[in-house]
Amino acid sequence: MASKTTKHYILTGLFSILPIAATYWIVVKLFHFFSAPGSTIVEIIFSDEVPPYIPEFAGFILTILFIYIIGILVSNVLGRQVYIWMEDMLLKVPN
């Protein structure tokens, strides 16, 4: 049995970190995308002086809400398609 090389461990570590890094990058991009509308919403609602963390909090809430809505849509549409596919497979099984 051959011993595992350094190259193997580096590639394994890289492929382990890659999904986490991609998820982090997407969430940060979404946060920056939703921060400007969040800031606008806060300025419309609160015409007085607003603490600097409130627009960022609104961007955070909009980001979480967007991820939640995408999750609902994908689980309903994709889940329905998987259910239909499985049902079709079962109908093809002879009695």
Side-chain angles (χ1 to χ4, degrees), residues 9-60:
Y9 288 122
I10 290 175
L11 287 175
T12 302
L14 178 65
F15 288 129
S16 298
I17 292 174
L18 206 58
I20 296 168
T23 302
Y24 175 77
W25 182 79
I26 290 169
V27 170
V28 167
K29 291 293 182 184
L30 284 173
F31 175 74
H32 289 297
F33 180 77
F34 286 117
S35 288
S39 177
T40 305
I41 291 170
V42 168
E43 288 175 3
I44 290 171
I45 294 174
F46 304 107
S47 59
D48 296 337
E49 191 172 317
V50 178
Y53 61 88
I54 297 295
E56 291 178 359
F57 183 70
F60 174 75

Side-chain angles (χ1 to χ4, degrees), residues 69-88:
I69 290 170
I70 292 297
I72 289 172
L73 292 174
V74 168
S75 65
N76 285 337
V77 173
L78 187 62
R80 188 177 311 125
Q81 292 298 323
V82 169
Y83 177 76
I84 291 170
W85 179 74
M86 292 295 286
E87 192 174 66
D88 288 342

